[in-house]
Amino acid sequence: MSRNKFADRRLFFYFLFGGSAVLLLITLFGIQVINNSYKISAENNVIKAVTIYPERGYIYDREGVLLVTNQRAYDLMVTPRQVRLLDTLALCEIINIDLEYFNKNIKIAKRYSTRKASLFLKEISKQTAAQLQERLYEFPGFYLQERTMRQYPESSAAHILGYVSQVPDYILKKDDYYKRNDNYGISGVESSYEKDLRGVQGTQYLIRDVWNRPKGSFANGEYDSLAVNGKDIELSIDIQLQEYAEQLMLNKKGSIVAIEPSTGEILSLVSSPYYDPNLLVGRSRSPNFNRMYKDANKALFDRSLLAEYPPGSTFKLVNALIGLQEGVIYDGTRFTCDEGWRFSAKLKIGCHAHRSPLNLIESIEQSCNAYYCNTFRRIIEKYPTAAAGYENWRNHVLSFGLGKFLDNDLYTGRPGRVPTVDFYNKQYGEKRWKAPTVISLAIGQDALVVSPIQMANMCAVIANRGHYYTPHIVRKVDGAPLNDSTYSVPKYTSIGKKHYSTIINGMERVFIGKHGTAKTARLKDIEICGKTGTAENPHGDDHSIFIAFAPKDNPKIALAVYVENGGWGSTWAAPIASLMIEKYLTGKISNTKQEAFILNGNLMNTEDAK
Amino acid sequence: MRNNKTFFANIDWTLVTIYFCMLLFGWLNIYAANYGEGAYNLISMQAEPGKQLFWIATSCVWIFFILLLDGKFYTTFSYLIYAFMVLLLIGVLIVGKEIGGAKSWYDLGSFSMQPAEFAKVGVLLALSKYLSQLNLNLNKLETQLRALAILTLPILLIMLQPDAGSAIVFASLFLVLFREGIPAVYLTIIGLAITLFIITLKFEILTATIITTVVTILFGYLLKKGRNSIKPAIFSLIIGLGFIQSVGYLYNDILRPHQRSRIDLILGKIDDIHGAGYNLHQSKIAIGSGGFTGKGFLDGTQTKFNFVPEQSTDFIFCTIGEEWGFIGSFITISLFVGLLFRLIILAERQRSTFSRVYGYGVATILFCHFFINIAMTIGIMPVIGIPLPFFSYGGSSLWGFSILLFIFIKLDAYRMDILR
Ligand SMILES: [Zn+2]
């Protein structure tokens, strides 16, 4: 009783107990009622979004031949927590990996999460997967997950089609549609039409427990979305022509680009050396890619779009057209040629021996250098200053689609170069250069470079008598023709239509003329027009160039052929162009001897001097 | 004369009602936490809900015997019971089963027994017995030391297991000494020490040193008691700074890494929801996702799918929070506040010091468990593994708490007698 004087201290206990309870209640009110983030975290905990992968679109050629399809493959996944391995070596043996790979990837998976599955080995073939499936029960913690890989039944057109791989990191960062290990078109049509081909991923929401075991669907699938399969694409490519072109280019470096002039559709687009697109599929992609990447002949490099060569003598056609348009030459204009054009003792452009003087048509037939040096000089010197004359000339050239990007549906490309006035001002000094200074432009040399596809387009311009449709590779997406004014509206050159006929007559004489530079490549029943060219190669043998279109009236095909280290244009490029045209227009080959010569020709050993 | 009374005479029905409400609500939540885990029958001896029913039933047997025994039994045998409990605590260090690095359990075949849960009864009885001596002066140092010794012995033994949670609960019995008249300055010093402890851990030693110095100078200036207050001020400053240094030493050199990280989590020094903070994070998600009304009985996803650890024992409050929401939290806390206030009211009406001390002890122990347990699930306190009385699954704790509470109910029924 004596200590009841401390009875007031009971208040301390009331305050302590009551105060603590209030503290708990306030905190709980904050967590449970005010703060919403815990509810979201709870949903993230249990609701797992499972991606439903759409099937990637198929790719067909213009005749409906299937070029790209999908095949089943399997990823081996691992959930480190569940791994109970008795016989590691057996697993390694089945999937053909070594212990080092095994340990490394288990460690990576553990670092990511011990509870969640990570990719252990990607893109296992169907056969291996079947073998593994039978014994999978021996390897708890591992399971196979289906995925699709591309398959190329025609084993051709690798550069056009491009390849599909895991989505690269820089895309993952900027595009949240993609998740790690999704498929992604890296190059070619797979890249430029990625959004059409990929389709739309679906999502299924499942309830999972802490061990990631499924516990049924969330809200009866109310929030689920279906996958939408990718769109099928029809290319403008004629796969038969493409494969024939590839055969012709076997063991040669270079490129063939064929275009349908009336539409701008690309009929074939070959870069050689090429490779079987099936090499860049699945697990073999990375070793094959590395091998080709290091290869001196650069099989991965798409020469048809990315190589830039001087156009050589084929460019004389453009200079002739500009000369006619500017009125500095006429059909009957003749220039003498003394085995070349001499300006001074120092400055001379040589030419081969031929009758002199030649008129315009003959100058095309025999590819006279002197004729074009004179023409070019007249074009430039028509104006009071070299710069003004040059600028005028340059604008004509640009109207042929040269010196700028084509801006089409190909995933890559180069603008080429038509040098500007500034370019020469920098090189020689302002007003320190004149027509003779840059006279090599007359014969398609100097600093002028174009890509093979620009060259083929230039040929299509002439075939069309003055206009072109931007070359493109896709005809239809999901069965509907492309509806894009880029490809349906013709682009006109600055040259009057009437001037083309003379030039085209000259191009015909290249085949049928007595002195025609490609007379050995002539075709009996087809009126074919072309022009040889040779691009000087400071590193070795010159590049053989040829452009041609046929038939002369209502042309169906215009093409450009580049054969690196092929010497004269008439040796390799002209016969290849002629074979291509005959094959495309008739489906047959009449000059089988010439075909055999080309097919067996091997220029690969003519290595560039290093 | 007493023998003529009926068995249930003078029983405080408020406490008994609260007790059974808690058992019922607790059991429902243990059932929910185990629900959906497998096909087996939850009300069998293979499952926690079934076993808990068994513990509840056997607790009732204990209650029956406690109410049957004469109230004098507890005063008479309190030291003996204390001694027996101390022996049990020593024994568990020798023959105990090691679980999670601590020797806290006797392995009795199909069941385990945690002596610390029962030792609370013995320690409290001994403390009550000692403090109920006539003319005991708690202002005398000798008395203070003896009372402390009764508490310190089991605390040391429990620290050896080690079981920090139970040790803190025993230490909380110091509050009972405060009610019985130990000078308030002790409580002030303990309060200051705890504040300084938290400041030191939160802001590092150097900052804590500066804060303490500034605060001491400010106080010295404000109180302005003249020159003779300078010496004690400097003295307390030295003690304070020494304390800060030893907290740093304790934290860095004595605490084990997992204990350090639990403290760091609460102080917000580390934020690691996948590693050390995983349990706390998941626990808060479960409680927070319950919202105001909860997801409904058996409809909790976080606890049902095992995102929360120890969900039917130490983290049972997660299930309450998730399935019953803030309403469930409010009910639970209200039950405890009701229980604790009723205990204080009853303790104060005791005529015997023994019963009053015992009542305060029961209230203090239950409060300690209640506050620490819920506070740790919502991140106010570091994770200290102690059960929520009458809610958590477990035989030892339910038996222990039931015995603890019903001895008081029995003592209260005898309140008209003077027990010594
Ligand atoms: Zn000539």
Side-chain angles (χ1 to χ4, degrees), chain A residues 1-18 20-33 35 38-39 41-43 45-46 48 115-116 207-211 213 215, chain B residues 131 136 175 178-182 184 187 278 282 284-285 287-289 291-292 301-302 305-307 317 321 325-326 329-330 333 337 340-341 344-345 348 351 353 356 360 363-364 367 370-371 374-375 378 380:
Chain A
M1 299 298 259
S2 61
R3 285 196 297 277
N4 254 343
K5 63 183 173 188
F6 297 110
D8 282 349
R9 287 190 176 178
R10 73 179 187 280
L11 293 177
F12 169 80
F13 288 84
Y14 285 128
F15 280 122
L16 178 65
F17 297 169
S20 302
V22 169
L23 174 68
L24 293 180
L25 280 173
I26 289 171
T27 312
L28 282 162
F29 192 78
I31 292 176
Q32 296 189 289
V33 183
N35 190 334
Y38 294 107
K39 292 159 197 76
S41 300
E43 289 192 351
N45 258 347
V46 289
K48 296 285 182 312
R115 296 166 197 269
K116 290 179 189 157
I207 295 192
R208 301 279 180 106
D209 70 3
V210 71
W211 295 290
R213 292 179 303 202
K215 295 278 180 184
Chain B
L131 293 179
L136 190 80
L175 288 176
F178 173 68
R179 164 60 187 88
E180 291 307 306
I182 206 165
L187 206 63
Y278 179 81
Q282 293 297 344
K284 282 168 91 171
I285 288 176
I287 295 169
S289 68
F292 189 76
T301 54
Q302 303 301 300
F305 296 149
N306 297 307
F307 285 92
F317 191 73
F326 182 71
S329 309
F330 187 81
I333 290 169
V337 171
L340 296 173
F341 278 24
I344 301 296
I345 291 167
E348 285 294 342
R351 293 175 68 192
T353 308
R356 184 178 65 234
Y360 266 96
T364 308
F367 164 74
F370 148 73
F371 180 73
I374 295 182
I378 55 181
I380 298 178

Side-chain angles (χ1 to χ4, degrees), chain A residues 592-603:
Chain A
T592 49
K593 220 176 106 186
Q594 190 165 51
E595 185 188 38
F597 168 74
I598 298 291
L599 288 176
N600 295 324
N602 188 344
L603 296 169

Side-chain angles (χ1 to χ4, degrees), chain B residues 26-147:
Chain B
W27 185 82
L28 285 176
N29 283 292
I30 291 168
Y31 185 87
N34 284 275
Y35 182 78
E37 254 314 288
Y40 60 82
N41 186 1
L42 286 176
I43 311 190
S44 76
M45 283 309 279
Q46 273 72 51
E48 287 184 347
K51 285 194 212 168
Q52 186 74 356
L53 274 184
F54 171 78
W55 297 124
I56 291 173
T58 45
S59 293
C60 290
V61 175
W62 276 109
I63 292 167
F64 177 78
F65 280 112
I66 289 164
L67 294 180
L68 207 63
L69 275 172
D70 192 301
K72 275 205 165 113
F73 172 85
Y74 307 107
T75 51
T76 314
F77 292 103
S78 50
Y79 286 140
L80 203 64
I81 295 171
Y82 177 79
F84 179 66
M85 292 303 173
V86 169
L87 282 179
L88 278 182
L89 288 176
I90 294 170
V92 81
L93 294 174
I94 300 160
V95 298
K97 184 170 63 169
E98 193 166 316
I99 298 174
K103 276 191 167 184
S104 309
W105 297 83
Y106 280 111
D107 188 0
L108 305 174
S110 52
F111 293 111
S112 309
M113 195 270 269
Q114 195 179 9
E117 296 294 350
F118 301 97
K120 287 164 191 161
V121 180
V123 172
L124 190 49
L125 284 173
L127 190 68
S128 308
K129 179 81 178 173
Y130 180 71
L131 293 179
S132 62
Q133 292 172 60
L134 273 175
N135 303 321
L136 190 80
N137 186 356
L138 266 173
N139 279 319
K140 273 163 68 180
L141 188 63
E142 190 196 344
T143 322
Q144 290 168 6
L145 288 177
R146 283 189 188 193

Side-chain angles (χ1 to χ4, degrees), chain A residues 337 351 354 368-369:
Chain A
C337 177
C351 193
H354 58 81
C368 175
N369 285 346

